[in-house]
Each structure stands twice: as structure tokens, then as C-alpha cells.
Amino acid sequence: MNPFTSPPIATGLFRDGTNIKKLLDTLDHPVIILDNDLNVIFFNARTRAISDIPPEKAVGIPCRYFLKSRHCNHECPLKNSETKIEKKFIETDILNSSRQIVQVKISFSAIYDSSGNQQGYILSVKEPEKGKNSTKTQGEDLSFSSIIGKSPQMDKVYRLLPVLAQSDASILITGETGTGKDLLAEELHRASERSEGPFIKVNCGALPETLLESELFGHTKGAFTGAVENKPGRFKLAHNGTLFLTEIGDLPLTLQVKLLTFLDDKVVYPLGSTKGFQANVRMIAATHRDLEQMVREGRFRQDLLFRLNVARLHLPPLRERDDDVFLLLNHFLKKFNEVLNKKISGFTSEAKTTLLSYTYPGNVREVRNIMEYAANVCQESKITPQDLPAYIQHRAKTPDETPAKNNETIKHYETQIPEQKETKIETPPDFSSFPQIEKKLITDALFKAGGNKSKAADILGWGRTTLWRKMKKYEIG
């Protein structure tokens, strides 16, 4: 389809389409031409830096799917303008072709034919100046703000995220523990029209039912023993913003009914009150559980699942995102280099092989904890296998191994280690709790140093005051 020979732009605007195309392609910034219905009919070569939609698929699609700006749905100046547009501009952010949010300035003006009839719009996008944007340089990890990854599985999430963010529909985020569901919920909020409003998070599995109901819906003074004053619930606190219910699968059945009632009429009734509060809240829920299976077992209401599952985003486990593992390792190494004031440049080939062959059942959270451990222990310029938790050495998978074979692999190592038949393999530690590991690091260092705190601090690569503070924290005598 040739955009210069198809209406409405062809009417007296481009007598020589080829030359116009060549002219626009020479510009050093993106240029997009829209028809009166705000559909894309042409864009120049430079535009590929801000949109990865190929030309053969872009022509004819709505501009909002092409630019992916936070202004596209509710604040589009072209869509909402009641006056004749000559030339205007807005400052906004877009999701570029590298799946990164960047600040841009978009100038736009109407296009008219020789008779004065409007034929469409032309948009010019000015990208951030070098050194003043939030995008990463070449070689760094690709991310949607705090979400890191460039695998095809994450690419699907990036494509859906800006579109769903502009909607007020309820969203259900699913995925295993440690995949980053909380971060995704925060990104949905930040990219939405509610970004200036509050983002309130409630863990449905962290509180008993009696306290959870009061926490969510609030209570009035005297509603129950100990209610000495009125308390606003999280729904009220999230007014004009987003309420994020994590671990929604742990919500008791009685509260599921009350939540369903809110989703129907958007009115919150605090405990002990007959007066409701109209809460303007966008609902996001997350779970690592199989809610469909819970419905079949009678542990989760089917009608509530329907209301929460208007749109669903699934975060894949890290074992299905091989392309992202090394990105995450480098990201967290850089982070802990800064936190610990170290200059670890990378990994030895042996450490890299071990890390890339491990299945990470704890997903991204486990990667973070492993790198925090390794960065604390490492005394060289690169992380070696000896700097990694011992259990990783025994649970690293072979190339054709699946996560289901992990237990067989551990048994294999227990029986096949030469000349160490009496050696007992430790049960892998609970890596969701780094303080336990850090405490062991300190006690081991003190043992090696014969109780000398200065030597122990040198072994750990810490200052003496840091060691003293952590010993006090963990009550190490």
C-alpha cells in the first residue's frame, strides 16, 4: 500500500510522492503523518527508533498503538481538540523500540489541501538530548523502567503493558513467586492516568481475616473491641489511584464476597457503618496460585475471578527466559557494586557457566539474593565459583535437563562425588531470607580470624564499623 497514492493525503498534497518520502527520510528526527481519523499513513526512516512496528503493518493502524504515549487515550490533543489546530506541542513519554520509557516533545499541525480542506496531521517527535534521557546505553540491560528483560516472553508483556495501563479495567497478574509481579503492578500504575494518585498495596496473605477486613475497608469508632477511633481503609486511601491486592488467592471467602460487592458498585462500607464511600479506585490483583483450580475446589469464587480477570498479564518463570538471566546477573552485580562500594568487573568463565546452567526456582528474587551474597563474599576482581552459594554447584542443570529433574540431579551428585562418600550435601538454604546467610558469613569470618574483628572485616571486605553494626543487628557476641 503506497501512502502517497491513497486518500486522503493524495488530494493535491504530494505531487511527487517519491521525492517527498526521500526528503522526510533525510530528517534526523521522527516524522509521522496521520489521516483525519488519527490512523498512520506514513512515517520516515528515523521513526523506527521509537516504534518497532514494521511499515507493512503500521499503515492504517491508530496512532495510539504506534506511539504508545501516556497521552494517547484520554489526553490526546488531536482527539479532544474543539478548535481548529494550527500548530501545537506536548511534552510526554513514549515506549520506544527498545522497550524503554523516554521523554519526548511532540509537535503537531494540521495538513490542508489547496482548497483549504483538512486532510490529516503531521507529527514531529523530538527525542531527548544525549545525557538527558532515561534510556540505557548500548550493552546495558533492556527494561521497562524497573522491569528487566529482552526475551520473547517479556516482549509480549512489554507490548501489552502500555495499552493496559491506559485502561481502567481490572487486571490480574499471574506468575510464580519471585517473578516480579509487584514491580509490574507499579509500572502499570506509573504508566496510567492515575500516576499522580496513590498506589496502595495490600498483601492478602499477611493478615488474619479479622484484621484484613478492617485494613481493606476501614472501621468506625466502637465497631469492635479496640476500635478507639475511625480508621480509613486501604480502598479509601487509594481513592483516585490504584489498589494492588497481592496474593489474592489467599483472600478468605467471606472477604471475596465483600470485594465482589465493591467491584459491582464501587462503594466501600467501613465496619460498623451504614454510610458508604464512593471510591474511585483501579484494581490490580496478583497471585502465584492457580485460581481456576481453586474455583473448581470451591476455594475461590468464580464470579470474583471473572471480575478481576478482565485483562491478564502473565510473568513467565526465569527458566523460560534464558535470554534474560545474564542481563539480570549483570544488573544486580552493578547494583551491589554501588551499594557495597566494590569494583567487581564480572564473572570468571567457570562462575558464568555455573550461573547460566542453574534453573533459579526462586526466579528474579533468587538471582538478586545470589548476587548480593556473591558481591559480599567476593575478594577478587571477578566473581568465582567459590563466591557462589554451595547449593548452586550441586543443582546446576545439564543442557538437556528440565526443572522437574532437579531432585534427581541432587541425588546424582550425592552419590557421584569422588572420594567423598561420607560428605553430606547441605539442604539448600531458604534464599528468600538473606539475613540468615549474612549472619553465617559473619560468624565464618570471625572464626577464620580467630575472633579478631579487624581481620574479620578485612575478610568480608567491610569497614570495622559496618561489621560492628551488623554483629549488633544479628546479636553476635
Side-chain angles (χ1 to χ4, degrees), residues 441-462:
L441 283 173
I442 294 171
T443 56
D444 287 349
L446 287 168
F447 179 79
K448 291 178 182 179
N452 186 305
K453 295 183 179 62
S454 295
K455 290 182 179 180
D458 290 339
I459 292 172
L460 292 166
W462 297 345

Side-chain angles (χ1 to χ4, degrees), residues 55 58 63 67 155 193 224 281 291 295 307 331 334 360 367 372 375 402 409 425 437 439 441 454:
C63 176
L67 275 181
D155 187 68
E193 297 296 327
F224 51 84
V281 172
L291 294 185
V295 168
R307 293 304 305 270
H331 168 77
K334 179 181 178 182
Y360 299 98
V367 176
E372 185 171 4
T402 62
T409 304
I425 304 297
I437 297 172
K439 183 177 180 180
L441 283 173
S454 295

Side-chain angles (χ1 to χ4, degrees), residues 22 31 35 49-50 72 87 225 262 306 348-349 363 365 394:
K22 288 182 178 179
V31 174
D35 62 20
I50 63 170
C72 285
K87 188 172 183 179
T225 303
F262 167 78
F306 289 154
T348 64
S349 58
N363 295 298
R365 183 183 295 126
H394 305 295

